[in-house]
Amino acid sequence: MRRLFDDELNDFDANFTEMGMMVSETIEKAVKAFIDHDRDLAQEIIDNDAKINQREVELEQKSFEMIALYQPVTSDLREIVTILKAVSELERMADYARNIAHATIRVKGNVRVPEIEAALSEMGNRVRKMVEEMLAAYVKSDDQEARRVAAKDAKVGEMYDRINEKGISKMERHPETVIGSTDYLNVATYLMRIGALVTNIGEWIVYLNTGEIIELNPESSNLV
């Protein structure tokens, strides 16, 4: 029975990591589509969102089955609970990436602001890297690394503030940029919220290793 449980837990673990990679790729594509004004890629992201949602449902169902069948305790139960919680965070990240894709389709044809788009690209790359690093921390079961990655969210907040200031300034001085700049601010907000969700996963990694439920970045807890 123990061997069967270990095999299923390993598969469960691998499927979670695969979902994380799917979400990371989706975030990267969403930002690229927005910056490149690529409506086809944006539509692809929207169409593929159902696959990520389905993966979430499958992992949730599997977690319930494993708990019911094996009645795991202590560290085994914490691992299942961690994945169950983290899967929900990943699905919400994918929803924000889908929102960016919708913004890409809306903003087509509006006046663009290159310096804000460059800042958004930088912010998107930073957030995507945080997702990848947090997944690596999970794979290594490294709660100290999870804390370090979560700490990077403060920089994401600073980038959001700068984009917000630039966007508002542009709208005030150049009314023709109002529609496009509004979407810039929305996209920056989505990216900031993804960063907060990465922090949430870090908190569950800490729980996995220590059994403690903590807040790594209390100031971002109300963003998602």
Side-chain angles (χ1 to χ4, degrees), residues 103-198:
T104 300
I105 292 174
R106 284 197 308 270
V107 83
K108 185 71 174 179
N110 295 324
V111 176
R112 309 305 289 261
V113 185
E115 61 266 34
I116 296 181
E117 293 189 348
L120 280 170
S121 180
E122 182 184 359
M123 186 179 181
N125 288 333
R126 187 174 187 86
V127 168
R128 176 190 55 78
K129 189 173 181 180
M130 282 178 63
V131 175
E132 294 175 350
E133 290 175 347
M134 193 63 81
L135 288 170
Y138 172 79
V139 170
K140 294 182 291 186
S141 192
D142 188 340
D143 60 289
Q144 293 303 313
E145 177 64 13
R147 293 172 190 267
R148 285 191 289 270
V149 176
K152 296 181 179 182
D153 192 39
K155 179 65 174 179
V156 173
E158 293 173 6
M159 298 172 85
Y160 167 81
D161 289 340
R162 289 200 298 271
I163 291 170
N164 192 54
E165 290 171 3
K166 288 180 180 179
I168 293 174
S169 176
K170 278 290 182 181
M171 286 189 283
E172 290 175 343
R173 291 183 290 111
H174 303 283
E176 70 276 11
T177 69
V178 167
I179 296 176
S181 292
T182 299
D183 273 314
Y184 293 148
L185 301 184
N186 287 337
V187 170
T189 299
Y190 301 144
L191 291 173
M192 181 175 62
R193 289 175 176 170
I194 291 172
L197 291 168
V198 174

Side-chain angles (χ1 to χ4, degrees), residues 10-11 34 74 82 84 97 103 111 119 140 151 164 172 212 215-216:
N10 287 337
D11 288 343
F34 187 81
T74 60
T82 294
L84 179 61
V111 176
K140 294 182 291 186
N164 192 54
E172 290 175 343
E212 298 179 11
E215 286 191 6
L216 294 178

Side-chain angles (χ1 to χ4, degrees), residues 13-184:
D13 211 32
N15 287 332
F16 164 72
T17 303
E18 184 179 345
M19 179 182 175
M21 293 170 62
M22 290 170 61
V23 171
S24 176
E25 182 180 2
T26 299
I27 295 168
E28 181 179 20
K29 285 182 176 180
V31 175
K32 184 178 188 302
F34 187 81
I35 301 304
D36 294 346
H37 317 172
D38 190 338
R39 298 182 73 178
D40 291 336
L41 181 57
Q43 189 61 52
E44 177 187 320
I45 292 164
I46 294 167
D47 293 341
N48 287 339
D49 187 57
K51 294 180 181 178
I52 293 176
N53 292 341
Q54 181 59 34
R55 181 62 63 93
E56 179 196 22
V57 171
E58 291 171 354
L59 285 167
E60 285 181 344
Q61 290 177 340
K62 185 62 179 178
S63 68
F64 299 146
E65 291 172 3
M66 292 178 69
I67 291 172
L69 180 61
Y70 298 106
Q71 299 181 344
V73 294
T74 60
S75 62
D76 292 330
L77 181 59
R78 287 209 301 267
E79 184 166 356
I80 293 174
V81 169
T82 294
I83 293 177
L84 179 61
K85 295 293 186 177
V87 160
S88 176
E89 311 290 8
L90 288 175
E91 191 277 332
R92 292 169 72 191
M93 290 182 202
D95 284 345
Y96 287 128
R98 182 197 60 208
N99 290 349
I100 293 173
H102 280 297
T104 300
I105 292 174
R106 284 197 308 270
V107 83
K108 185 71 174 179
N110 295 324
V111 176
R112 309 305 289 261
V113 185
E115 61 266 34
I116 296 181
E117 293 189 348
L120 280 170
S121 180
E122 182 184 359
M123 186 179 181
N125 288 333
R126 187 174 187 86
V127 168
R128 176 190 55 78
K129 189 173 181 180
M130 282 178 63
V131 175
E132 294 175 350
E133 290 175 347
M134 193 63 81
L135 288 170
Y138 172 79
V139 170
K140 294 182 291 186
S141 192
D142 188 340
D143 60 289
Q144 293 303 313
E145 177 64 13
R147 293 172 190 267
R148 285 191 289 270
V149 176
K152 296 181 179 182
D153 192 39
K155 179 65 174 179
V156 173
E158 293 173 6
M159 298 172 85
Y160 167 81
D161 289 340
R162 289 200 298 271
I163 291 170
N164 192 54
E165 290 171 3
K166 288 180 180 179
I168 293 174
S169 176
K170 278 290 182 181
M171 286 189 283
E172 290 175 343
R173 291 183 290 111
H174 303 283
E176 70 276 11
T177 69
V178 167
I179 296 176
S181 292
T182 299
D183 273 314
Y184 293 148

